[in-house]
């Protein structure tokens, strides 16, 4: 009997050990909930779509229950971007997504350790002051770029407005990437014999006055991927439509609001790609310091309503923007 009791005690002890080990495995196998801070500069279609795509990709890759988003909008104020990203740093989030250049600049200044992914950034070298930018930022920063082929945009403008002699370049002077795009397009069109004039506004308060001036003195207007312009398309549209001056836009959201056509990327797809990169970083699959900037292909699109209003025939190679 004593031997039998000893056997039962031994079996009970072994079972207890395995039960304890099982509990330990269950605890360690629980999925981590990742904290992701999203700083978006301003509300408009392009940035909204990028944020939506980013969140969807992370939920697809990691599971919606395993990601907690802290989304904050800076209402087009760079100082607010700084406040937002500093709050993310104090909360010790696992990753920061910076949507638009001022958000990226603020995030880079706020932390050198938390991974930062930019999206809707035109040119990282310009945005971050990197003179010898080679495609990989290094450190704790990477992301995606919304830079469409600028000379191809200029060619598309000429294709649709072949009789144009004067081009107004309408943009926000406070946005470094807008300055960069305008410079490239200006030099290219000037080389084609067109007269280009810059019409820049400092912020949304100047948009109406500057657009009136541009529309009164230009055969066609070019607007790059510019966040301030994107948030003021109704104001711009009312002016250019009244004066029958076509606008070629650097991205679809601006085109939808006030333009005739664009050579643009899908911001949702761009955001989705950024989310895929985030998943690789969070799971340890990739190191952010080794990740090059990713790009998206561009597509020719047109605004059917405004083109019909202006009596413009659009080549079959352009796709109508959905209303």
């Amino acid at each position: 009997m004593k031997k039998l009791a000893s056997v039962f005690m031994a079996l009970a002890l072994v079972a207890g050990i395995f039960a304890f080990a099982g509990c330990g495995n269950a605890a360690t196998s629980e999925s981590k909930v990742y904290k992701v801070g999203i700083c978006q500069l301003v509300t408009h279609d392009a940035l909204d779509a990028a944020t939506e795509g980013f969140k969807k990709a992370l939920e697809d890759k990691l599971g919606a229950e395993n990601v907690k988003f802290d989304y904050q909008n800076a209402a087009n104020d760079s100082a607010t971007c700084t406040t937002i990203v500093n709050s993310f740093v104090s909360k010790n989030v696992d990753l920061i997504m910076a949507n638009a250049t001022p958000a990226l600049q603020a995030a880079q200044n706020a932390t050198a350790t938390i991974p930062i992914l930019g999206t809707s950034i035109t040119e990282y070298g310009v945005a971050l002051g990197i003179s010898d930018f080679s495609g990989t930022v290094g450190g704790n920063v990477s992301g995606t770029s919304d830079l469409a082929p600028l000379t191809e945009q200029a060619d598309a403008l000429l294709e649709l407005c072949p009789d144009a002699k004067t081009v107004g370049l309408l943009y926000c002077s406070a946005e470094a990437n807008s300055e960069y795009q305008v410079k490239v397009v200006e030099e290219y069109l000037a080389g084609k014999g067109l007269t280009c004039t810059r019409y820049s506004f400092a912020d949304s308060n100047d948009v109406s006055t500057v657009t009136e001036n541009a529309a009164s003195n230009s055969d066609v207007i070019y607007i790059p991927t510019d966040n301030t312009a994107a948030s003021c398309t109704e104001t711009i549209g009312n002016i250019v439509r009244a004066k029958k001056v076509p606008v070629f836009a650097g991205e679809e959201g601006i085109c939808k609001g006030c333009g005739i056509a664009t050579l643009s990327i899908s911001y949702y797809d761009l955001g989705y790609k950024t989310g895929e990169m985030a998943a690789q970083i969070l799971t340890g699959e990739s190191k952010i310091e080794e990740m090059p900037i990713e790009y998206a292909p561009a597509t020719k699109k047109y605004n059917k309503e405004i083109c019909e209003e202006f009596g413009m025939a659009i080549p079959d190679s352009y796709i109508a923007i959905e209303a």
Side-chain angles (χ1 to χ4, degrees), residues 13 17 36 49 82 124 137 149 182 186 260 268 281 284 295 307:
L13 179 61
I17 291 171
V36 177
T82 299
Y124 279 76
V137 176
V182 163
E186 180 181 38
I260 56 163
Y268 180 89
I281 293 165
Y295 297 82
C307 287

Side-chain angles (χ1 to χ4, degrees), residues 76 171-175 200-207 210 228:
N76 207 23
Y171 67 103
C172 179
S173 58
E175 298 186 31
S200 64
F201 40 83
D203 53 40
S204 58
N205 296 320
D206 300 332
V207 168
V210 174
T228 305

Side-chain angles (χ1 to χ4, degrees), residues 117 148 260 312:
L117 286 177
I260 56 163
M312 298 184 68

